[in-house]
Amino acid sequence: MLTPSTSTIAPLHQRAAAIEAALQAQGIDASAGIAQGVHNAEEVWLPERGARVVAKAWVDDAYRQRLLRNGKAAVAELGIEMPPHHRHLVVLENTASLHNVICCTLCSCTAFTVTGLPPDWYKDLAYRARIVRESRTVLREMGLDLPHDMELRVWDTTADTRYMVLPLRPAHTQDWSQEQLAAIVTKDAMIGVARL
Ligand code: FE
């Protein structure tokens, strides 16, 4: 099988422009779809949405239980939609002795309407291969040095089952408002490569 070297692959923006030109040559105007995608990526699918979910779960135990039972229905309560092909949202609760981290070994799947689009490193072959085989080493390289006695679970996303990590609420935040709590929740923490 022929594999082009990276030096023969045009930069992303050139490839995207070529696809748009090819569609236009077929009489298909992709500009509206592209504009909608850019709008969603930059203004709608933001990790602040997932942060609101996490903060509510921290302060509202009944909500937390609904979230763990059926993530998709629970985020919908907060007005957060998921595409039809994201059939399930499984929420993985971190504890003092358990840590969860997610990946997509096939490509780049995340619950992106909830936690934001995947970071570039999430799509890298190195992360996708190594987080499964040498999880603790990869997390340490990313700045998260887990204690040896902490259980670690790695979850491989599929097209129809998406995951998000429910981080452990930091002990010093007991008096904080839901808004203050949401402000400390990061995309990395909802992927599981950081703890708060
Ligand atoms: Fe994927």
Side-chain angles (χ1 to χ4, degrees):
M1 188 177 76
L2 282 175
T3 307
S5 74
T6 48
S7 63
T8 63
I9 298 174
L12 183 62
H13 68 274
Q14 280 183 24
R15 284 180 279 152
I19 292 170
E20 193 176 355
L23 287 169
Q24 234 133 32
Q26 300 288 318
I28 301 167
D29 182 9
S31 59
I34 292 170
Q36 184 65 51
V38 169
H39 170 75
N40 286 339
E42 293 180 348
E43 292 176 50
V44 182
W45 299 331
L46 301 175
E48 285 79 2
R49 287 177 143 194
R52 277 200 294 132
V53 172
V54 170
K56 182 165 177 61
W58 282 345
V59 301
D60 180 344
D61 195 57
Y63 181 76
R64 177 181 143 273
Q65 289 179 32
R66 293 198 298 281
L67 183 68
L68 295 174
R69 202 178 312 125
N70 183 340
K72 189 168 179 173
V75 301
E77 288 181 37
L78 302 191
I80 302 170
E81 82 297 338
M82 295 181 71
H85 73 282
H86 293 194
R87 292 180 58 219
H88 308 286
L89 175 64
V90 178
V91 177
L92 311 161
E93 186 176 37
N94 282 350
T95 70
S97 59
L98 170 66
H99 185 79
N100 296 283
V101 62
I102 68 173
C103 64
C104 176
T105 56
L106 278 179
C107 45
S108 59
C109 302
T110 57
F112 57 83
T113 64
V114 185
T115 58
L117 291 171
D120 286 343
W121 53 257
Y122 185 91
K123 298 178 264 188
D124 274 357
L125 194 55
Y127 176 77
R128 286 151 47 198
R130 293 183 63 224
I131 192 66
V132 178
R133 299 177 61 177
E134 40 181 342
S135 323
R136 284 173 197 273
T137 303
V138 170
L139 290 178
R140 195 179 311 119
E141 289 169 4
M142 297 180 82
L144 179 59
D145 198 359
L146 294 176
H148 287 293
D149 58 354
M150 182 174 289
E151 184 182 347
L152 175 60
R153 295 181 188 164
V154 182
W155 301 77
D156 189 1
T157 308
T158 65
D160 62 1
T161 299
R162 310 285 163 143
Y163 298 105
M164 73 174 275
V165 175
L166 176 58
L168 182 64
R169 179 176 176 170
H172 66 275
T173 62
Q174 288 315 312
D175 301 328
W176 290 21
S177 70
Q178 207 168 312
E179 290 69 30
Q180 287 175 304
L181 290 168
I184 63 167
V185 179
T186 62
K187 183 189 291 189
D188 280 2
M190 293 183 284
I191 292 174
V193 296
R195 285 173 79 88
L196 301 172

